[in-house]
Amino acid sequence: MRSGNEPVTARSPLRLRFWLSLWGLVWAAAGTAAFFLVGRPGWAVACAVVAVLAIVDLFVVLHHIHQGPHYQPGPDVPPYEPPTHGG
């Protein structure tokens, strides 16, 4: 069912985003450790920055998950109309 306002009412698949962020965090942490051990501080810092971004994304995703079905797509959650601002 398409309503024509999908960009306004789009919702993110939060569970998938959670697991992808976790996967990125694991690899970025491993890259940070590996590059640090082989003496490549620049690459270690780059991987550490990616790890921090993954952690921030994990917190945002967890916050949205805890807010309930408004932010989670699913067959039992119908599309909703955006709030109208005005009279």
Side-chain angles (χ1 to χ4, degrees):
M1 176 175 82
R2 294 192 59 154
S3 64
N5 62 354
E6 285 81 10
V8 176
T9 60
R11 290 172 283 181
S12 175
L14 294 174
R15 287 179 195 90
L16 174 64
R17 194 169 143 198
F18 171 80
W19 290 110
L20 289 174
S21 292
L22 194 60
W23 181 252
L25 175 61
V26 168
W27 278 102
T32 300
F35 283 122
F36 181 75
L37 290 174
V38 297
R40 298 285 194 155
W43 285 103
V45 168
C47 286
V49 168
V50 171
V52 168
L53 290 173
I55 289 170
V56 169
D57 190 44
L58 279 172
F59 280 117
V60 168
V61 168
L62 286 173
H63 175 71
H64 285 303
I65 286 173
H66 290 318
Q67 285 183 326
H70 176 73
Y71 286 99
Q72 299 179 56
D76 58 334
V77 179
Y80 60 90
E81 291 296 319
T84 57
H85 300 289

